[in-house]
Amino acid sequence: MGTRQRTVILGVAHSDAHAVANHLIAMQLREHGFDVVNLGVCTPLTDFADALDAHPDAEAVIVGSLNGHAYADLADLPRLRDAGRLARPLILGGNLTVGSHKTDEGYRRLRALGVDHLLDDPHELPLLLDLIHAAGTRGRTREAVSAHV
């Protein structure tokens, strides 16, 4: 009897065509034993929701954004969550706001949309996924899992 492979949904935000980091992160996660459903670049948020519907065992949704337009790209997140979609921890990483000077306000706005975790360093992703896994996703709401990680 083998262990079940852990699945994550990965992609790059809708207005963003940066592919290199996406592929490097997918490779990193696969090296850590994850089954990665990689949606690639320029991915509408509804495609992430559709992928999660197709892979209901996925532990998390990971969205990358390097062009600084994450807030606009994730604007539909509250509507999708209200509709019962994307009910997994959503991790956002990359260059999340426009400009070289970052403020806490940009991160607060993303969290207010419903982003559960913000990452500056993709090397932290496997550890964060392990913490989310340890917190458990089955039978618990996304908010309950995120509150423990």
Side-chain angles (χ1 to χ4, degrees):
M1 181 165 53
T3 57
R4 185 176 63 85
Q5 193 167 24
R6 297 169 57 194
T7 301
V8 294
I9 309 294
L10 171 69
V12 179
H14 184 71
S15 70
D16 199 320
H18 289 90
V20 174
N22 171 266
H23 286 288
L24 293 173
I25 291 168
M27 288 173 48
Q28 174 196 24
L29 291 172
R30 288 180 178 121
E31 288 173 1
H32 281 84
F34 287 92
D35 177 21
V36 179
V37 178
N38 191 352
L39 304 176
V41 300
C42 299
T43 306
L45 207 50
T46 53
D47 285 6
F48 286 96
D50 292 345
L52 185 56
D53 292 345
H55 301 276
D57 289 339
E59 296 179 7
V61 174
I62 305 161
V63 180
S65 179
L66 292 178
N67 66 6
H69 298 284
Y71 184 81
D73 289 336
L74 299 180
D76 284 341
L77 183 56
R79 182 184 58 77
L80 288 167
R81 290 246 167 107
D82 287 347
R85 305 195 73 203
L86 285 170
R88 290 293 183 283
L90 190 138
I91 302 166
L92 177 65
N95 177 35
L96 303 180
T97 58
V98 175
S100 58
H101 180 71
K102 305 300 180 191
T103 66
D104 289 342
E105 178 57 25
Y107 299 124
R108 274 193 294 272
R109 291 178 63 210
L110 289 165
R111 285 196 176 277
L113 277 179
V115 173
D116 300 294
H117 303 281
L118 299 166
L119 283 183
D120 292 328
D121 183 346
H123 293 100
E124 297 172 354
L125 189 51
L127 174 60
L128 176 58
L129 290 169
D130 286 346
L131 292 171
I132 290 169
H133 184 76
T137 56
R138 297 216 178 275
R140 299 176 70 180
T141 65
R142 176 191 59 82
E143 293 82 4
V145 171
S146 295
H148 287 86
V149 179

